[in-house]
Amino acid sequence: MGIAERYQRIAAEVEEACCQAGRDPAEVEVIAVSKTVGPEAVAEALAAGACSFGENRPDQLAAKAMALPGAEWHFIGNIQSRRIPDIVAHASLIHSLFEESHALKVDAAAQRLGKVQDVLLEVNVSGEASKAGATPQEAPILARAIAELSHVRLRGLMTMAPQGDLAAARECFQGLAQLAASIRLTLPEGAQGPFSELSMGMSEDWRCAIEAGATMVRVGRAIFSGAFE
Ligand SMILES: *Cc1c(COP(=O)(O)O)cnc(C)c1O
C-alpha cells in the first residue's frame, strides 16, 4: 500500500468510527503527522485529500510549509522559546503549548506578524514523567491566562496517551474531555465558543479517542509507514 491509499483508508475508517460512536464525521479532522518524511511524501498525502499536517521541529515545519503552502501546518512538538517566532510564522495551530512564558511569547510574535495564533493547551492527563504538558490541576489557571491574550486564541486541549495500553489510553482521553468541559465553563463567555477542539489519538489509539470525543486525531505511522497494515 502507498501513502495515498493508506491516507484514504484512515480517512474512511475515521468516518466509520464517527458513525459508530454516533458522531458527525465532519467534527473530526485527521492531522497527518509528517515529521518522519520529506516533502514528496507530504505531496502524495496532499494529493490523496489530506489537508493538515503535523510537524514537531520548527525547521521542518518552516521548510515543508514553504514547499507546500497549499496545506495547513500544525506544530505538535516541544516548544523552545527562541524558536517561537518561526513556529508562529508557519503554524495554523500549535498543539503543544503549556507554559505561560511561551504563551506570552507566542502572543508577541503573533502581534508582530499581524495574526491571531490558534493554540491548544497540552495537558499531561496520565501523569507519566516522560510526557509533556500542564498538570490537570494547573490547566484551568493556564487556560484562563491564555484566553486573556489578544493575539492568541485558545481552541481547546491536547494530550498524549500512555502507549501500548488501550484501556489506559481510553481513560486518558475521557479525562481530557471531562477537563475540557469543566475548563470551558470557567472561561470568559467570548472564549467559550472557540474552545471546542480536543486533539487526542495517534496511530495506535485514535479509535478510542474518537469514542471519547476527539475532534483532531494525529496520525503518523499508519499513514506514512506500513507499520499498521
Ligand atoms: C509523532 C507524533 C504523533 C503521531 O504518532 P504515530 O504513532 O506515528 O501516529 C502524534 N502526536 C505527536 C505529538 C507526535 O509527536
Side-chain angles (χ1 to χ4, degrees):
M1 233 189 266
I3 289 166
E5 207 179 339
R6 284 196 296 263
Y7 170 74
Q8 282 166 348
R9 198 184 57 169
I10 292 284
E13 287 174 356
V14 164
E15 252 190 73
E16 200 181 297
C18 287
C19 295
Q20 276 167 13
R23 300 187 53 201
D24 177 356
E27 285 175 13
V28 182
E29 187 180 10
V30 177
I31 312 302
V33 176
S34 50
K35 65 190 182 193
T36 59
V37 298
E40 311 73 31
V42 173
E44 269 185 73
L46 191 62
C51 307
S52 301
F53 295 86
E55 289 288 332
N56 66 348
R57 286 177 41 195
D59 54 341
Q60 286 293 309
L61 173 77
K64 289 178 195 163
M66 287 190 281
L68 294 149
E72 254 198 50
W73 293 91
H74 293 204
F75 189 74
I76 62 171
N78 178 42
I79 297 176
Q80 289 175 290
S81 264
R82 64 192 173 85
R83 305 310 303 272
I84 285 174
D86 292 331
I87 297 170
V88 173
H90 298 286
S92 59
L93 178 65
I94 299 172
H95 291 234
S96 44
L97 189 68
F98 62 91
E99 285 189 32
E100 194 169 0
S101 65
H102 290 167
L104 297 173
K105 291 193 169 106
V106 169
D107 187 55
Q111 179 160 27
R112 280 196 296 276
L113 288 165
K115 76 183 272 198
V116 174
Q117 179 65 60
D118 280 348
V119 303
L120 304 176
L121 173 59
E122 181 171 358
V123 183
N124 184 358
V125 178
S126 69
E128 286 180 297
S130 62
K131 298 254 183 308
T135 66
Q137 291 72 35
E138 316 173 304
I141 299 148
L142 263 169
R144 284 196 292 279
I146 295 170
E148 298 212 338
L149 300 172
S150 55
H151 291 79
V152 174
R153 185 164 42 220
L154 182 61
R155 301 300 314 278
L157 302 182
M158 180 274 226
T159 200
M160 309 250 301
Q163 293 298 283
D165 180 349
L166 285 182
R170 184 170 289 116
E171 195 178 319
C172 170
F173 298 148
Q174 288 167 349
L176 193 75
Q178 282 164 13
L179 184 64
S182 69
I183 287 177
R184 195 165 190 266
L185 298 173
T186 72
L187 294 176
E189 213 166 285
Q192 290 184 7
F195 188 81
S196 57
E197 305 288 349
L198 284 173
S199 169
M200 54 191 197
M202 320 201 310
S203 291
E204 284 176 17
D205 51 23
W206 61 261
R207 284 184 176 79
C208 298
I210 287 178
E211 286 167 15
T215 64
M216 293 180 182
V217 291
R218 307 180 308 270
V219 180
R221 288 169 297 156
I223 295 171
F224 292 108
S225 85
F228 288 78
E229 276 172 24

PDB file of all heavy atoms in Angstrom, residues 211-224:
ATOM      1  N   GLU A 211     -14.102   7.820  20.192  1.00  0.00           N
ATOM      2  CA  GLU A 211     -15.193   7.468  21.122  1.00  0.00           C
ATOM      3  C   GLU A 211     -15.272   8.457  22.283  1.00  0.00           C
ATOM      4  O   GLU A 211     -16.352   8.748  22.789  1.00  0.00           O
ATOM      5  CB  GLU A 211     -14.980   6.050  21.678  1.00  0.00           C
ATOM      6  CG  GLU A 211     -15.273   4.960  20.664  1.00  0.00           C
ATOM      7  CD  GLU A 211     -14.758   3.590  21.130  1.00  0.00           C
ATOM      8  OE1 GLU A 211     -14.436   3.434  22.323  1.00  0.00           O
ATOM      9  OE2 GLU A 211     -14.675   2.694  20.270  1.00  0.00           O
ATOM     10  N   ALA A 212     -14.114   8.972  22.692  1.00  0.00           N
ATOM     11  CA  ALA A 212     -14.081   9.871  23.848  1.00  0.00           C
ATOM     12  C   ALA A 212     -14.304  11.337  23.463  1.00  0.00           C
ATOM     13  O   ALA A 212     -14.314  12.207  24.324  1.00  0.00           O
ATOM     14  CB  ALA A 212     -12.754   9.725  24.585  1.00  0.00           C
ATOM     15  N   GLY A 213     -14.454  11.619  22.153  1.00  0.00           N
ATOM     16  CA  GLY A 213     -14.787  12.987  21.754  1.00  0.00           C
ATOM     17  C   GLY A 213     -13.702  13.762  21.027  1.00  0.00           C
ATOM     18  O   GLY A 213     -13.827  14.975  20.851  1.00  0.00           O
ATOM     19  N   ALA A 214     -12.641  13.086  20.561  1.00  0.00           N
ATOM     20  CA  ALA A 214     -11.587  13.802  19.824  1.00  0.00           C
ATOM     21  C   ALA A 214     -12.175  14.560  18.633  1.00  0.00           C
ATOM     22  O   ALA A 214     -13.076  14.062  17.955  1.00  0.00           O
ATOM     23  CB  ALA A 214     -10.537  12.812  19.316  1.00  0.00           C
ATOM     24  N   THR A 215     -11.650  15.760  18.372  1.00  0.00           N
ATOM     25  CA  THR A 215     -12.001  16.478  17.141  1.00  0.00           C
ATOM     26  C   THR A 215     -10.823  16.506  16.176  1.00  0.00           C
ATOM     27  O   THR A 215     -10.972  16.887  15.026  1.00  0.00           O
ATOM     28  CB  THR A 215     -12.436  17.922  17.436  1.00  0.00           C
ATOM     29  OG1 THR A 215     -11.311  18.628  17.985  1.00  0.00           O
ATOM     30  CG2 THR A 215     -13.605  17.966  18.412  1.00  0.00           C
ATOM     31  N   MET A 216      -9.639  16.134  16.682  1.00  0.00           N
ATOM     32  CA  MET A 216      -8.451  16.007  15.836  1.00  0.00           C
ATOM     33  C   MET A 216      -7.711  14.757  16.277  1.00  0.00           C
ATOM     34  O   MET A 216      -7.426  14.609  17.466  1.00  0.00           O
ATOM     35  CB  MET A 216      -7.511  17.202  16.021  1.00  0.00           C
ATOM     36  CG  MET A 216      -8.080  18.496  15.523  1.00  0.00           C
ATOM     37  SD  MET A 216      -6.897  19.839  15.793  1.00  0.00           S
ATOM     38  CE  MET A 216      -7.904  21.180  15.162  1.00  0.00           C
ATOM     39  N   VAL A 217      -7.426  13.870  15.316  1.00  0.00           N
ATOM     40  CA  VAL A 217      -6.558  12.735  15.615  1.00  0.00           C
ATOM     41  C   VAL A 217      -5.252  12.958  14.848  1.00  0.00           C
ATOM     42  O   VAL A 217      -5.266  13.405  13.705  1.00  0.00           O
ATOM     43  CB  VAL A 217      -7.209  11.374  15.249  1.00  0.00           C
ATOM     44  CG1 VAL A 217      -8.371  11.072  16.190  1.00  0.00           C
ATOM     45  CG2 VAL A 217      -7.687  11.327  13.805  1.00  0.00           C
ATOM     46  N   ARG A 218      -4.141  12.702  15.521  1.00  0.00           N
ATOM     47  CA  ARG A 218      -2.823  12.968  14.935  1.00  0.00           C
ATOM     48  C   ARG A 218      -2.204  11.642  14.525  1.00  0.00           C
ATOM     49  O   ARG A 218      -1.693  10.902  15.345  1.00  0.00           O
ATOM     50  CB  ARG A 218      -1.929  13.669  15.963  1.00  0.00           C
ATOM     51  CG  ARG A 218      -2.561  14.927  16.592  1.00  0.00           C
ATOM     52  CD  ARG A 218      -1.614  15.554  17.608  1.00  0.00           C
ATOM     53  NE  ARG A 218      -1.131  14.598  18.585  1.00  0.00           N
ATOM     54  CZ  ARG A 218      -1.712  14.318  19.749  1.00  0.00           C
ATOM     55  NH1 ARG A 218      -2.817  14.960  20.115  1.00  0.00           N
ATOM     56  NH2 ARG A 218      -1.205  13.416  20.565  1.00  0.00           N
ATOM     57  N   VAL A 219      -2.266  11.345  13.232  1.00  0.00           N
ATOM     58  CA  VAL A 219      -1.858  10.013  12.769  1.00  0.00           C
ATOM     59  C   VAL A 219      -0.616  10.117  11.898  1.00  0.00           C
ATOM     60  O   VAL A 219      -0.634  10.785  10.857  1.00  0.00           O
ATOM     61  CB  VAL A 219      -3.017   9.352  11.982  1.00  0.00           C
ATOM     62  CG1 VAL A 219      -2.596   7.962  11.507  1.00  0.00           C
ATOM     63  CG2 VAL A 219      -4.274   9.264  12.843  1.00  0.00           C
ATOM     64  N   GLY A 220       0.457   9.464  12.338  1.00  0.00           N
ATOM     65  CA  GLY A 220       1.711   9.480  11.589  1.00  0.00           C
ATOM     66  C   GLY A 220       1.988   8.162  10.904  1.00  0.00           C
ATOM     67  O   GLY A 220       1.769   7.991   9.701  1.00  0.00           O
ATOM     68  N   ARG A 221       2.456   7.181  11.698  1.00  0.00           N
ATOM     69  CA  ARG A 221       2.936   5.925  11.115  1.00  0.00           C
ATOM     70  C   ARG A 221       1.878   5.192  10.306  1.00  0.00           C
ATOM     71  O   ARG A 221       2.201   4.551   9.300  1.00  0.00           O
ATOM     72  CB  ARG A 221       3.471   5.009  12.227  1.00  0.00           C
ATOM     73  CG  ARG A 221       4.798   5.486  12.811  1.00  0.00           C
ATOM     74  CD  ARG A 221       5.149   4.711  14.055  1.00  0.00           C
ATOM     75  NE  ARG A 221       4.156   4.925  15.103  1.00  0.00           N
ATOM     76  CZ  ARG A 221       3.919   4.079  16.103  1.00  0.00           C
ATOM     77  NH1 ARG A 221       4.586   2.959  16.177  1.00  0.00           N
ATOM     78  NH2 ARG A 221       3.009   4.371  17.001  1.00  0.00           N
ATOM     79  N   ALA A 222       0.631   5.235  10.717  1.00  0.00           N
ATOM     80  CA  ALA A 222      -0.405   4.491   9.991  1.00  0.00           C
ATOM     81  C   ALA A 222      -0.622   5.059   8.588  1.00  0.00           C
ATOM     82  O   ALA A 222      -1.195   4.401   7.729  1.00  0.00           O
ATOM     83  CB  ALA A 222      -1.714   4.487  10.781  1.00  0.00           C
ATOM     84  N   ILE A 223      -0.153   6.290   8.353  1.00  0.00           N
ATOM     85  CA  ILE A 223      -0.246   6.874   7.006  1.00  0.00           C
ATOM     86  C   ILE A 223       1.094   6.776   6.268  1.00  0.00           C
ATOM     87  O   ILE A 223       1.149   6.371   5.113  1.00  0.00           O
ATOM     88  CB  ILE A 223      -0.682   8.370   7.087  1.00  0.00           C
ATOM     89  CG1 ILE A 223      -2.093   8.480   7.653  1.00  0.00           C
ATOM     90  CG2 ILE A 223      -0.592   9.029   5.698  1.00  0.00           C
ATOM     91  CD1 ILE A 223      -2.527   9.897   7.976  1.00  0.00           C
ATOM     92  N   PHE A 224       2.163   7.153   6.967  1.00  0.00           N
ATOM     93  CA  PHE A 224       3.440   7.304   6.268  1.00  0.00           C
ATOM     94  C   PHE A 224       4.362   6.094   6.341  1.00  0.00           C
ATOM     95  O   PHE A 224       5.409   6.077   5.708  1.00  0.00           O
ATOM     96  CB  PHE A 224       4.159   8.569   6.778  1.00  0.00           C
ATOM     97  CG  PHE A 224       3.443   9.832   6.378  1.00  0.00           C
ATOM     98  CD1 PHE A 224       2.748  10.596   7.312  1.00  0.00           C
ATOM     99  CD2 PHE A 224       3.446  10.259   5.056  1.00  0.00           C
ATOM    100  CE1 PHE A 224       2.084  11.754   6.939  1.00  0.00           C
ATOM    101  CE2 PHE A 224       2.774  11.415   4.671  1.00  0.00           C
ATOM    102  CZ  PHE A 224       2.096  12.169   5.611  1.00  0.00           C
TER     103      PHE A 224
END
